[in-house]
Amino acid sequence: MNKIELENLKCFAQSFEFPLNQKNLLLYGENGSGKSSLTAAFQLIFYREKLFAASVSEEMTEEERANVLSDILDKYRFQGRKNQPFCLMINGQDYDTFPIEDYQVSVLTHDDVEVADAIHLSNILQRAFLPITDIRSFLETHAEQMEQEVNRLLHEHFMEDLQIAIERGNDYTCTLSENSLQLAFDQNLPHYFNEAKLHMATILLLLSAVRRIPNTTERRLLLLDDLLTSMDASNRTYFMRFIVETFSDCQILFFTHNINFYHTARYLVHETITTEKAKWVCTHLYKFSFGHRLSNNEEAQKDPSTFTAELNSPGVNLVNMGNRLRQRFEYAIYEISQLLLLGAVEEPDKVLARICNQKECYFNGEKDAADLVDEIQVTLNAENQMNLATRIREKIDKYRIEMTLVHEILNVMKLYQKASLHPLSHTSVQGSHAPSQKELKQTILLLKKLQAAINKLKDKRIE
């Protein structure tokens, strides 16, 4: 699969092209950045009949069926443009005519692994978007193998004292056992087992099912949207390695909102499993005021210095450059907010305001303020209570980031954003303030300083 294009679909108001280039994808995006909308697009492309079947009955007239289908498609339109059709294309072809029979696509999301009471395997497979036409026949054939594989993985890979037993019957209900605690239940499971264990068992059952789906084409795709949210760090890493190695014959799309897991998974596919590096694209999805963008977008990575030469070229369009400078500024704000774990889903001006309030920021390598609290708690609980205040201050100082330079740059940049750049972000610039060459030159200089500060922050050497 090479690319997917969206416009006026779910949260994608503006036109957005998502390049895949037949590679695996590791995508980081905060909640609200558009990951679920991408997942919904794939579900609409490959499982349209399943989406429609849930709302259409045989008793309906043709007109009633048409109205229901129209209502379903209306829900995919961007909320602000309900009267306009959406655009959804894959590999340059409209989703209506795309040959879905040439592809075998499995889509698993965090909703598929939620356990309210019991694990009814037939219901779980029915709820998930999997290319299984006859679930009962599938389970009659594969339930025993799935049970054996999941128990082996729980014991050998995840070293969990957890076992499942799949009942052969109507719902294929699973009994979960934890021998060390003498637990064995098939109902009211959240009362006896924590969420991580329940999700672990359910995810393994789903992945085991995907493995056993007969290969009908070489074009196989596995999309996983925030599937490992409840796992601890070590188990997420085990799962990622298992998925990469087990489904090497699939094009894998892995979406996550956990930035620490993103970095771990990126290291795994680029550095640990070296044969995988060329097969993976790792990027971030951001939602800006001017639309959605990927962090490997050319404009996002543009060196601020290149704007200087462009500004001095004859016939330069100052309004256009002002707009692009503001966009590049927003990329920088998102980058610094991610580094400081402030939450990149917020509007850039809100993130900027938080940084400019000159509140303390705590960051030490991959550790954040939560790790600092843990270290302070260990110090407080230690037997040695001498010089306690001094030792706690030393720990705090180790994490504290000196933000004076960043605050100065951002506060000045904020003035330029409000005075000259902000109006240019809108579609129409009629009546807006047109920036002067001097203003843009000063903005470029400030953007260079901001990027230099970000680079120093990456190296933990801001002075």
Side-chain angles (χ1 to χ4, degrees), residues 142-151 164-166 168:
H142 299 293
E144 183 176 354
Q145 293 175 313
M146 291 171 62
E147 178 183 296
Q148 292 173 356
E149 180 181 41
V150 170
N151 284 329
I164 67 163
I166 304 175
R168 313 303 191 263

Side-chain angles (χ1 to χ4, degrees), residues 259 263 332-342 362-363 365 367 453-459:
I259 188 62
H263 287 303
I333 295 301
Y334 269 68
E335 185 174 9
I336 200 169
S337 69
Q338 179 199 316
L339 283 169
L340 299 175
L341 302 178
L342 291 179
Y362 299 96
F363 181 77
K367 297 181 178 181
I454 290 173
N455 293 338
K456 285 186 178 182
L457 182 58
K458 287 179 178 178
D459 296 333

Side-chain angles (χ1 to χ4, degrees), residues 22-24 269-270 273-281:
Q22 300 183 24
K23 291 190 174 184
N24 299 326
V269 298
H270 277 184
I273 311 176
T274 53
T275 56
E276 293 291 319
K277 184 172 183 178
K279 302 177 185 178
W280 283 83
V281 173

Side-chain angles (χ1 to χ4, degrees), residues 112-165:
D112 297 323
V113 301
E114 293 299 327
V115 179
D117 179 61
I119 299 177
H120 302 301
L121 189 51
S122 61
N123 294 346
I124 289 174
L125 296 183
Q126 180 66 44
R127 183 173 60 196
F129 288 84
L130 300 175
I132 302 175
T133 54
D134 188 339
I135 290 175
R136 177 165 294 280
S137 176
F138 179 86
L139 287 173
E140 287 174 355
T141 304
H142 299 293
E144 183 176 354
Q145 293 175 313
M146 291 171 62
E147 178 183 296
Q148 292 173 356
E149 180 181 41
V150 170
N151 284 329
R152 178 180 61 80
L153 290 170
L154 286 169
H155 178 68
E156 296 179 6
H157 283 252
F158 299 97
M159 291 175 279
E160 289 284 343
D161 182 28
L162 191 68
Q163 282 189 319
I164 67 163

Side-chain angles (χ1 to χ4, degrees), residues 67-114:
N67 289 335
V68 170
L69 299 186
S70 177
D71 290 342
I72 292 174
L73 292 177
D74 281 346
K75 295 177 182 177
Y76 282 83
R77 294 191 178 101
F78 177 67
Q79 290 295 321
R81 300 177 188 167
K82 282 292 188 179
N83 59 335
Q84 298 180 27
F86 62 77
C87 172
L88 177 57
M89 302 184 73
I90 192 159
N91 292 353
Q93 191 168 346
D94 190 84
Y95 83 104
D96 261 336
T97 58
F98 185 76
I100 60 175
E101 64 275 3
D102 294 344
Y103 289 79
Q104 192 175 72
V105 176
S106 300
V107 180
L108 300 176
T109 75
H110 57 91
D111 291 334
D112 297 323
V113 301
E114 293 299 327

Side-chain angles (χ1 to χ4, degrees), residues 216-393:
T216 58
T217 175
E218 292 182 358
R219 297 172 176 175
R220 303 179 66 212
L221 185 142
L222 176 62
L223 191 159
L224 307 172
D225 183 3
D226 262 339
L227 198 65
L228 309 180
T229 303
S230 65
M231 300 290 105
D232 58 35
S234 60
N235 280 331
R236 281 197 298 261
T237 304
Y238 285 139
F239 261 113
M240 187 65 186
R241 177 182 283 276
F242 170 73
I243 291 166
V244 170
E245 293 176 345
T246 303
F247 298 97
S248 58
D249 59 339
C250 294
Q251 184 178 10
I252 304 172
L253 309 183
F254 205 112
F255 302 169
T256 181
H257 75 274
N258 186 298
I259 188 62
N260 291 325
F261 173 65
Y262 169 82
H263 287 303
T264 301
R266 185 179 184 279
Y267 179 81
L268 184 70
V269 298
H270 277 184
E271 305 295 337
T272 305
I273 311 176
T274 53
T275 56
E276 293 291 319
K277 184 172 183 178
K279 302 177 185 178
W280 283 83
V281 173
C282 303
T283 186
H284 298 193
L285 177 63
Y286 293 136
K287 185 179 180 181
F288 293 100
S289 60
F290 51 84
H292 290 78
R293 293 293 186 273
L294 298 171
S295 61
N296 57 359
N297 176 278
E298 182 179 347
E299 201 71 20
Q301 298 179 340
K302 189 167 184 175
D303 185 339
S305 299
T306 61
F307 285 106
T308 303
E310 188 177 343
L311 181 63
N312 295 327
S313 63
V316 61
N317 186 324
L318 298 183
V319 172
N320 176 270
M321 174 169 276
N323 190 29
R324 288 167 50 226
L325 274 171
R326 182 181 188 279
Q327 292 180 13
R328 181 61 180 83
F329 168 58
E330 289 193 19
Y331 280 116
I333 295 301
Y334 269 68
E335 185 174 9
I336 200 169
S337 69
Q338 179 199 316
L339 283 169
L340 299 175
L341 302 178
L342 291 179
V345 73
E346 295 183 51
E347 289 297 319
D349 57 338
K350 293 181 181 178
V351 175
L352 182 58
R354 288 179 64 179
I355 298 174
C356 291
N357 281 339
Q358 301 200 27
K359 294 182 178 179
E360 296 285 3
C361 292
Y362 299 96
F363 181 77
N364 184 20
E366 293 186 357
K367 297 181 178 181
D368 58 19
D371 298 292
L372 171 59
V373 172
D374 289 342
E375 291 187 20
I376 291 174
Q377 190 64 52
V378 170
T379 302
L380 290 172
N381 293 338
E383 293 184 6
N384 180 12
Q385 296 292 299
M386 293 184 64
N387 301 319
L388 187 60
T390 301
R391 287 156 56 203
I392 290 177
R393 279 194 212 97

Side-chain angles (χ1 to χ4, degrees), residues 170-182:
N170 292 332
D171 296 327
Y172 285 80
T173 302
C174 298
T175 299
L176 263 62
S177 305
E178 195 163 1
N179 294 330
S180 61
L181 299 177
Q182 297 183 330

